[in-house]
Each structure stands twice: as structure tokens, then as C-alpha cells.
């Protein structure tokens, strides 16, 4: 390959790669040495026409026709290098470049449209265009491309979603309706004006006739007017007096009804207050009774006299207080009577409380005494058990002897057998071993057992053995088996 000198056109750049060049070289004219290659890149902008289908924030689809004039950025060397590396191998009008640019524009347009309502897109077309322009330019910078011009056409409806058509029909109908309203209003003004002029003419004629009649009857009417005036003033005064009397009677009746209502309300409130207080006192008494059942072991016999004294003192004070409240109730009728009942109930509650606390304290001391006795007995039993060396049986026998348990048992047993009068019989047959041999020893034992057995049966039951058996002597038979 021979060395060549190459010159680019006015709208072109030479891209030289190969030997003695680190990356690539952009120039308008240069020698192409052996081992180097060159490519011409066209810097002319190209128009790209798209119809971007997008969807607004209300999920309404629409078509956005747009024309973008895009070309390499010539005022920045780095952008030219990017364009030369990425796009120089493709024709600017090829499908590859078109699809690349279209993909960037559609993606940014759809993202922006999804964040705006249809009304915002329609009314703010200029702002929408500028935002699309900026976002698309930001993506095209990585390819070294520049948007020279962007023209967003009128929005178009998607088939089946005729939003803009319906919006245009709405505006058209509104204009037609407004025109009809304007025509009707103008017609109304014309008819009203004609009627107004006719009416004014008739009014003026009637006015003249009326003035003539007024002048003719004015003198006659002045006398009648004066007479009617006097009669009217008298009637008005009478009506005023009657109205004042009726108003006073109505106010009096209203005040009487209000007073009666307040009296009844006060009486009902007094009864309800007494009932409520009685219920509260009863609940308090029941609560105190419940408390006293759990704390009745807290009383003490030593303080019983003081408690009774305080109780009687409280009773005397409550009686005096009750008499005072009765006197006040007599002066202030039912209101003070309720207060006296309240004070009497509180005094009775206090009296019961003091009495219960005294009994509770006495039971408490009694329980403390029983507890102390039980503790002393426990110490005593532990001392005895220790003295017997932990022998529980010996300690039990000692306690039973010391408590007279054995004596009581003996006495009880003696009382039980008293009157039985037992009869004891002792039998002997000599030395059986000398009379019989070992073979007859068992038989001899049985025969030696029979006499005492038969005698015992006869003594206990009165029955005698059968006739075929030996009979007892010195006994009268009573019955036979």
C-alpha cells in the first residue's frame, strides 16, 4: 500500500487508525501511511420522524408524533471521538441508527408521560417538549450525538381511546351551546325592549289619567283621610294595649311554667340525690363488711373499752347532729332534710366502722395469743424430742403417759368387759409324750383338744355334742347340734 494524502469534504471528518496512531485520529486532511486505514464520517444532521405511543398517569394511551434533527456534536472533540468509535461504521440513515435513536426517544418519552396527566401534557406542550428534549439529549451524549431541533406535533388518539376526539367534540358542543345562548339572550333583550317601550307608553297615559283623577278627588279625600287617620290611630292604640296585655299574660304564663318546672326538677333531683347517696353508702358499707371479714383478726381486747367509749361518744354526737339537721330541715324544708339524712347515714357508718375495727383488733390479738401458744407447744415438743434423742416413738409414749392416755384406755377397756363375766376352763391330760408314740402324737393332740372345745361351745351357746360323740358329765343338756 502506498502513502496517500486525503482531504475531507466540508461536512466530513477523516478517521485514521493503524500504525503509529495510539487510538484514532480525527482530522480534515492528512497523509495516510502504509499500515493505516481511514474512514470518512458525515457530520450532517439527519431528521428522524417517529410516532411514539405512550400512556399518561391516568392510564390513557396516546400517540405523540415527533421529528428530531440529530447529528454528531461538532464543537466537542471528545463527542466526535465517541461518535467515530460507536457510529462511524453505520450509515446515519441506516436502520441500526434509526432504531437506536428511536429507542432512546421512546423510552424517555414514555417515562416522562407516565408521570404527567393528560391535561398537563395537553396544556403544557412546550414544557413537555423541553423535558423530552433534555432527557433524550442526556442519553444521546454517550453516543456523541446532539439534537439540533425537536418538533413535537399535535397529540393523536390511539384507536379505541378517542380522548382528544371527545375533548374536541366537547369544546365544539360547548361553543355551539354558548352561541345558542347568546342568540337567545339577544332575542330576549329585543323582545323585552319592545315590551318595555309599549309598557312605558301605557304607564305614562295611565299616569296622566291618574293625576287628573287625583286632582279632582284630592279635596274630597283630604277630609276622609283625616277622619280615617283619627280612627286608625285609635284602633292602633287599642290593638297595642291588647297586644301588651296578651304579651304580659304570655310572659307570666311562661314564667309560671318555668317556675313549676324548676320546682319539679329540684324535687326530683333531691330525691335522686338522696337515692344515689343511699346507694353509695350501702356500697361503702358492703365494701367495709368485706374488708372486715378479711381483717377481723386485728382487734384487741385491751382497747375494747376505749372503742366502746368512742362509739358511744360518736353516737351522742351523731344524735345531736341529727337533731340539728332536723331543725335545719324544718326551716329549709326538704333540702335540709336530705342533708340531715345524709349526716345521719354517715354517723351510723362511722359507728359501725369503729365497732368493726374494735372487734377486728380483738380477734387479731386472740389469734396472736393462739399463735404464741402454738409456738410454745412446738418448742416444748422439740425439746422433748431432743431429750429422747430424736426417738419419735419414745416421745409419743411419754406424751401419752404424761397426758393419761394409757390410763384412759385401760379404764375404757375395763368398762367394756365389765359384765361379761368370762368363764375360764383349764384342762390337762398328763404327759402325752409318755402315753403315745410319735406316730399317734397328732391324733392324741386332736382328742385332747375336743373336751375343752365342746365345753366352751356349750358354755357360750348352750349346745351339746351329738349323741354319737362322748357326752359331757355334770351338765344338763339344753340343745343338740
Amino acid at each position: 500500500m502506498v502513502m496517500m494524502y486525503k482531504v475531507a469534504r466540508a461536512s466530513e471528518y477523516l478517521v485514521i487508525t493503524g500504525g503509529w496512531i495510539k487510538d484514532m485520529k480525527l482530522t480534515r486532511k492528512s497523509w495516510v501511511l502504509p499500515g493505516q486505514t481511514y474512514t470518512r464520517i458525515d457530520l450532517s444532521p439527519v431528521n428522524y420522524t417517529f410516532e411514539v405511543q405512550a400512556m399518561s398517569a391516568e392510564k390513557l394511551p396516546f400517540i405523540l408524533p415527533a421529528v428530531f434533527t440529530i447529528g454528531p456534536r461538532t464543537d466537542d472533540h471528545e463527542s466526535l471521538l465517541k461518535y467515530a468509535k460507536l457510529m462511524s461504521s453505520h450509515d446515519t440513515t441506516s436502520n441500526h441508527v434509526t432504531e437506536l435513536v428511536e429507542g432512546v426517544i421512546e423510552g424517555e418519552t414514555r417515562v416522562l408521560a407516565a408521570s404527567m396527566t393528560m391535561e398537563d401534557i395537553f396544556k403544557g406542550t412546550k414544557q413537555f417538549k423541553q423535558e423530552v428534549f433534555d432527557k433524550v439529549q442526556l442519553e444521546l451524549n454517550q453516543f456523541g450525538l446532539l439534537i439540533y431541533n425537536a418538533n413535537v406535533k399535535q397529540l393523536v388518539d390511539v384507536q379505541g381511546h378517542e380522548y382528544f376526539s371527545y375533548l374536541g367534540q366537547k369544546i365544539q358542543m360547548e361553543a355551539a351551546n354558548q352561541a345558542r345562548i347568546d342568540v337567545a339572550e339577544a332575542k330576549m333583550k329585543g323582545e323585552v325592549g319592545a315590551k318595555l317601550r309599549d309598557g312605558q307608553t301605557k304607564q305614562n297615559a295611565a299616569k296622566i289619567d291618574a293625576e287628573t283623577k287625583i286632582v279632582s278627588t284630592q279635596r274630597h279625600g283630604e277630609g276622609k283621610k283625616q277622619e280615617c287617620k283619627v280612627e286608625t290611630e285609635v284602633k292602633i292604640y287599642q290593638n297595642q294595649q291588647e297586644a301588651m296585655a296578651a304579651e304580659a299574660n304570655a310572659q307570666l304564663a311562661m314564667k309560671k311554667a318555668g317556675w313549676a318546672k324548676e320546682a319539679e326538677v329540684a324535687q326530683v333531683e333531691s330525691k335522686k340525690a338522696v337515692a344515689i347517696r343511699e346507694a353509695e353508702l350501702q356500697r361503702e358499707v358492703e365494701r367495709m363488711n368485706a374488708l372486715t371479714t378479711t381483717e377481723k383478726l386485728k382487734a384487741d381486747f385491751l382497747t375494747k373499752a376505749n372503742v366502746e367509749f368512742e362509739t358511744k361518744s360518736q353516737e351522742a354526737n351523731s344524735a345531736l347532729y341529727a337533731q340539728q339537721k332536723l331543725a335545719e330541715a324544718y326551716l329549709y324544708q326538704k333540702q335540709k332534710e336530705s342533708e340531715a339524712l345524709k349526716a345521719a347515714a354517715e354517723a351510723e357508718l362511722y359507728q359501725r366502722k369503729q365497732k368493726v375495727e374494735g372487734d377486728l383488733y380483738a380477734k387479731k390479738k386472740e389469734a396472736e395469743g393462739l399463735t404464741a401458744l402454738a409456738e410454745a407447744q412446738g418448742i416444748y415438743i422439740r425439746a422433748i424430742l431432743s431429750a429422747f434423742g430424736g426417738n419419735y416413738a419414745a416421745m409419743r409414749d411419754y406424751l401419752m403417759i404424761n397426758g393419761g392416755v394409757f390410763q384412759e384406755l385401760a379404764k375404757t377397756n375395763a368398762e367394756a368387759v365389765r359384765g361379761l363375766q368370762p368363764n375360764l376352763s383349764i384342762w390337762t391330760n398328763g404327759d402325752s409324750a409318755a402315753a403315745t408314740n410319735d406316730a399317734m402324737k397328732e391324733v392324741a393332740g386332736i382328742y385332747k383338744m375336743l373336751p375343752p372345745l365342746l365345753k366352751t361351745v356349750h358354755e357360750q351357746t348352750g349346745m351339746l355334742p351329738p349323741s354319737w360323740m362322748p357326752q359331757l358329765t355334770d351338765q344338763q343338756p339344753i340343745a343338740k347340734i
Side-chain angles (χ1 to χ4, degrees):
M1 182 178 181
V2 297
M3 183 173 60
M4 297 177 293
Y5 187 77
K6 297 293 182 178
V7 179
R9 297 186 182 90
S11 61
E12 293 180 345
Y13 261 93
L14 296 176
V15 180
I16 303 175
T17 59
W20 303 285
I21 298 175
K22 184 177 181 180
D23 186 10
M24 65 174 54
K25 179 180 178 182
L26 290 176
T27 182
R28 291 284 188 175
K29 54 187 177 179
S30 176
W31 288 96
V32 179
L33 303 178
Q36 296 179 349
T37 60
Y38 74 97
T39 303
R40 298 177 183 272
I41 58 174
D42 190 2
L43 303 181
S44 302
V46 178
N47 290 329
Y48 297 94
T49 303
F50 307 105
E51 287 187 354
V52 181
Q53 185 171 350
M55 185 175 292
S56 67
E58 305 99 326
K59 306 296 187 298
L60 293 175
F62 64 93
I63 296 175
L64 179 68
V67 178
F68 285 83
T69 302
I70 301 174
R73 184 186 291 274
T74 59
D75 56 352
D76 185 12
H77 185 73
E78 293 295 329
S79 297
L80 281 175
L81 287 176
K82 290 180 181 180
Y83 179 76
K85 290 179 181 179
L86 301 175
M87 310 294 291
S88 62
S89 61
H90 301 281
D91 186 7
T92 54
T93 59
S94 65
N95 291 334
H96 175 75
V97 178
T98 304
E99 289 176 358
L100 176 66
V101 175
E102 184 178 1
V104 173
I105 295 173
E106 285 185 353
E108 296 300 325
T109 304
R110 287 170 181 170
V111 171
L112 181 61
S115 63
M116 299 176 67
T117 63
M118 186 67 77
E119 193 69 18
D120 295 337
I121 297 173
F122 189 74
K123 290 185 177 180
T125 305
K126 184 177 181 181
Q127 181 182 359
F128 179 72
K129 170 187 172 182
Q130 185 62 39
E131 291 185 5
V132 171
F133 184 91
D134 295 339
K135 291 183 180 297
V136 172
Q137 180 60 62
L138 186 63
E139 293 295 326
L140 293 179
N141 285 338
Q142 58 187 336
F143 300 104
L145 296 174
L146 175 66
I147 300 175
Y148 288 94
N149 184 32
N151 183 18
V152 178
K153 298 181 180 179
Q154 187 65 34
L155 301 178
V156 180
D157 288 323
V158 178
Q159 186 176 1
H161 299 275
E162 290 77 12
Y163 173 79
F164 297 108
S165 299
Y166 292 150
L167 186 63
Q169 292 176 9
K170 176 185 174 183
I171 296 173
Q172 184 178 0
M173 292 301 296
E174 288 179 352
N177 292 334
Q178 186 63 38
R180 292 191 186 97
I181 292 171
D182 294 340
V183 171
E185 186 175 358
K187 185 178 180 180
M188 180 192 68
K189 288 181 179 180
E191 293 178 354
V192 170
K195 295 291 183 181
L196 182 63
R197 293 289 183 267
D198 189 15
Q200 287 178 352
T201 303
K202 292 180 179 180
Q203 287 177 2
N204 291 331
K207 182 178 179 181
I208 294 172
D209 293 339
E211 288 177 352
T212 303
K213 291 180 180 179
I214 289 171
V215 170
S216 62
T217 58
Q218 185 175 9
R219 298 287 182 254
H220 178 72
E222 286 180 356
K224 292 289 183 180
K225 181 179 178 182
Q226 194 68 25
E227 182 180 356
C228 292
K229 181 179 179 181
V230 173
E231 292 178 355
T232 302
E233 290 178 353
V234 172
K235 189 64 177 179
I236 289 172
Y237 179 75
Q238 291 177 353
N239 292 337
Q240 288 178 350
Q241 293 299 320
E242 291 177 357
M244 291 173 65
E247 184 178 1
N249 292 330
Q251 291 179 356
L252 179 60
M254 290 174 63
K255 289 182 179 180
K256 286 182 178 180
W259 294 333
K261 181 180 177 181
E262 290 177 358
E264 291 178 358
V265 170
Q267 186 176 4
V268 172
E269 288 180 351
S270 176
K271 291 180 180 179
K272 294 299 182 181
V274 171
I276 291 171
R277 186 54 183 170
E278 288 178 355
E280 291 177 353
L281 293 176
Q282 182 65 28
R283 186 172 64 252
E284 185 67 21
V285 169
E286 291 176 356
R287 189 179 67 84
M288 294 304 297
N289 289 335
L291 291 175
T292 54
T293 56
T294 59
E295 299 180 358
K296 61 183 177 179
L297 298 177
K298 297 180 181 179
D300 186 12
F301 289 108
L302 185 61
T303 60
K304 185 175 181 181
N306 293 332
V307 172
E308 291 179 356
F309 173 77
E310 292 177 359
T311 302
K312 291 180 180 180
S313 176
Q314 291 297 330
E315 289 177 353
N317 292 333
S318 65
L320 178 60
Y321 187 72
Q323 291 177 359
Q324 291 176 354
K325 291 301 177 181
L326 288 174
E328 292 177 358
Y330 179 77
L331 295 175
Y332 295 100
Q333 295 178 352
K334 294 183 179 181
Q335 181 179 1
K336 294 301 179 180
E337 183 179 353
S338 63
E339 294 179 358
L341 292 175
K342 175 183 174 182
E346 291 178 352
E348 183 179 358
L349 177 62
Y350 183 75
Q351 178 183 355
R352 292 182 181 179
K353 181 179 178 182
Q354 293 297 326
K355 183 178 179 181
V356 169
E357 289 181 354
D359 294 339
L360 187 61
Y361 189 68
K363 293 295 183 182
K364 178 183 177 183
K365 290 300 179 182
E366 183 180 356
E368 290 177 356
L370 294 175
T371 303
L373 179 60
E375 291 178 354
Q377 289 179 351
I379 295 172
Y380 172 68
I381 291 172
R382 285 195 295 272
I384 294 174
L385 184 62
S386 177
F388 283 103
N391 190 342
Y392 176 75
M395 182 194 70
R396 181 192 61 195
D397 295 339
Y398 171 77
L399 293 176
M400 293 178 70
I401 293 170
N402 192 28
V405 176
F406 289 133
Q407 292 85 339
E408 291 294 331
L409 288 175
K411 184 178 178 180
T412 303
N413 292 332
E415 290 292 336
V417 300
R418 181 183 297 175
L420 294 178
Q421 298 178 357
N423 189 4
L424 303 177
S425 299
I426 300 174
W427 289 75
T428 180
N429 293 319
D431 189 2
S432 61
T436 61
N437 56 17
D438 293 336
M440 298 299 291
K441 190 174 182 178
E442 297 295 333
V443 176
I446 293 174
Y447 277 96
K448 287 191 290 185
M449 181 185 69
L450 285 176
L453 177 62
L454 296 174
K455 182 176 178 62
T456 301
V457 171
H458 176 69
E459 290 176 352
Q460 297 295 329
T461 65
M463 299 177 66
L464 289 174
S467 59
W468 52 269
M469 292 184 67
Q471 298 296 319
L472 298 175
T473 60
D474 298 332
Q475 297 290 339
Q476 295 296 329
I478 299 174
K480 292 184 178 181
I481 298 177

